Amino acid sequence: MQFYELRKLIKQAISEDDFQTSCDRIQEVIFGLDKNGFIPIIAEIGSIPEDIEHDSSEEKLYTKVSDIILAKCFLELGLKANVLKERANCADVIAQSVFHNYSLVADAKAFRLSRTAKNQKDFKVESMVHWKGVNDYSVLCCPYFQYPKIKSQIYGQALNGNVLLFSWEYFSMLLECNVKETVNYSLENLWNMSAVISETTTIQDKNLCFLNKQNNYIKNMLNYSDAEFEKALNIFKQEIINRGEEEINYWQTKIKVIKNYSREEAIEMLIKSLKLNEKINSINSYINQLRGQYVHR
């Protein structure tokens, strides 16, 4: 499956079914893909398309699809995995080893390319520590190039709480190289990588980016040379550049359309975009409640 086919499936599902039916329908399709049909959509799911309206039903479905893809990644690696339907105060996915005695929780992240300003709360690393519960490990999956490049509190939080800062690109590499857990081969050390890195990290350096250390582990695991690993990352980087150019074209087309609006259309659009009527309705609702509760002396 190509990413544009997944996008078409999401748009079709959200227009025809209720939310849970849409999720079930898309999960059935994604879980039914063989590995070669699944790999092309892994790295792209981390970038939310600009034509999906913010806070819309389609965006919520897209986010749930990223959970489904994360669960499918674990399945392809030989683990059992389920997408959790509860969204409040819990992780997105739970996975268990078939052959080895461990389990993990995982959380999927996707960001818009137009949203560059992110802080540590966007990654919810500390929440992942609490969501782990009785499970052994906690895995956060983000777009590789969206992680802070030099320094961030998320690195110290990950080391303190043993949260693995993983990526869609890492998953893609593992599956491309046919990595799979078996009775004789455990992936447990992979999920425990932050604990290993923390052993050689000083308190002074705990908030520094440690992705290069993870990269070294992945390289050794896949028997990649430095050049081969860099080549793989550059391929992902080029795919993001291509997506970025598509998203720019989308907004440039929008600008052309807006420039052709009449004065009345432009005013109506501005009122709608600022959600002015919604704000008025919210205030009215609140003060009407107060009117009903007015105390007469």
Side-chain angles (χ1 to χ4, degrees):
M1 173 179 280
Q2 298 300 314
F3 185 71
Y4 76 88
E5 294 174 303
L6 177 63
R7 288 284 293 110
K8 183 178 179 180
L9 180 62
I10 292 172
K11 283 186 176 296
Q12 182 178 358
I14 201 65
S15 66
E16 295 178 356
D17 301 313
D18 62 80
F19 185 79
Q20 191 55 54
T21 302
S22 298
C23 294
D24 295 340
R25 175 180 171 186
I26 294 174
Q27 179 169 314
E28 183 178 358
V29 172
I30 291 175
F31 278 18
L33 295 172
D34 62 23
K35 187 176 68 175
N36 290 334
F38 171 62
I39 288 176
I41 62 175
I42 298 175
E44 290 223 51
I45 194 64
S47 298
I48 301 175
E50 297 291 332
D51 66 339
I52 295 180
E53 187 176 346
H54 182 63
D55 275 343
S56 63
S57 297
E58 187 177 0
E59 184 182 63
K60 290 179 174 62
L61 180 58
Y62 185 93
T63 301
K64 178 56 72 172
V65 171
S66 72
D67 301 342
I68 294 168
I69 290 176
L70 179 58
K72 173 69 169 174
C73 286
F74 288 116
L75 290 173
E76 290 295 336
L77 289 174
L79 283 70
K80 293 187 294 184
N82 293 301
V83 179
L84 301 179
K85 293 184 179 180
E86 299 84 2
R87 288 295 298 177
N89 200 30
C90 68
D92 299 323
V93 173
I94 186 166
Q96 296 174 301
S97 174
V98 176
F99 305 104
H100 307 280
N101 188 28
Y102 72 82
S103 63
L104 60 86
V105 295
D107 202 65
K109 291 293 178 203
F111 300 108
R112 295 175 184 272
L113 294 180
S114 59
R115 189 183 172 209
T116 56
K118 292 179 289 295
N119 56 48
Q120 55 96 9
K121 291 182 180 180
D122 294 317
F123 295 93
K124 297 183 180 178
V125 176
E126 288 188 320
S127 296
M128 295 296 295
V129 178
H130 301 298
W131 292 342
K132 182 166 61 176
V134 299
N135 298 284
D136 300 286
Y137 304 106
S138 186
V139 179
L140 178 66
C141 184
C142 293
Y144 179 86
F145 297 102
Q146 293 277 13
Y147 278 117
K149 294 178 176 60
I150 300 174
K151 188 176 182 179
S152 171
Q153 290 180 339
I154 70 168
Y155 295 113
Q157 293 166 356
L159 295 180
N160 290 339
N162 192 20
V163 176
L164 177 62
L165 302 185
F166 217 58
S167 75
W168 300 107
E169 290 82 357
Y170 284 148
F171 272 121
S172 186
M173 289 184 197
L174 294 179
L175 297 184
E176 286 279 6
C177 292
N178 299 313
V179 172
K180 195 160 190 173
E181 191 169 80
T182 67
V183 66
N184 297 316
Y185 180 68
S186 174
L187 293 172
E188 190 167 7
N189 288 338
L190 178 63
W191 317 128
N192 195 44
M193 208 184 324
S194 286
V196 174
I197 293 173
S198 69
E199 293 175 358
T200 58
T201 303
T202 64
I203 295 177
Q204 182 180 356
D205 293 339
K206 73 173 185 177
N207 289 331
L208 296 180
C209 176
F210 55 71
L211 294 185
N212 282 337
K213 295 179 180 179
Q214 288 191 171
N215 291 347
N216 288 332
Y217 183 93
I218 299 292
K219 280 187 282 189
N220 292 332
M221 184 180 181
L222 302 179
N223 292 318
Y224 271 7
S225 66
D226 291 345
E228 287 171 328
F229 188 80
E230 184 176 346
K231 180 180 179 181
L233 283 183
N234 282 335
I235 291 173
F236 293 125
K237 192 180 295 185
Q238 185 58 52
E239 289 176 350
I240 295 172
I241 292 171
N242 294 341
R243 271 288 300 280
E245 291 174 347
E246 291 177 7
E247 306 296 5
I248 288 170
N249 288 336
Y250 169 78
W251 286 122
Q252 287 177 335
T253 300
K254 277 284 188 182
I255 290 173
K256 291 179 182 178
V257 172
I258 291 170
K259 284 183 175 180
N260 288 324
Y261 279 1
S262 67
R263 181 177 181 276
E264 290 73 18
E265 288 172 330
I267 292 172
E268 187 63 32
M269 180 186 176
L270 183 59
I271 291 172
K272 183 178 179 180
S273 67
L274 293 176
K275 298 183 177 180
L276 301 185
N277 287 323
E278 288 86 343
K279 296 178 193 297
I280 291 170
N281 290 335
S282 294
I283 296 171
N284 263 329
S285 176
Y286 177 66
I287 63 176
N288 284 337
Q289 288 179 17
L290 294 181
R291 288 189 179 108
Q293 299 168 3
Y294 196 88
V295 177
H296 297 278
R297 293 181 182 273

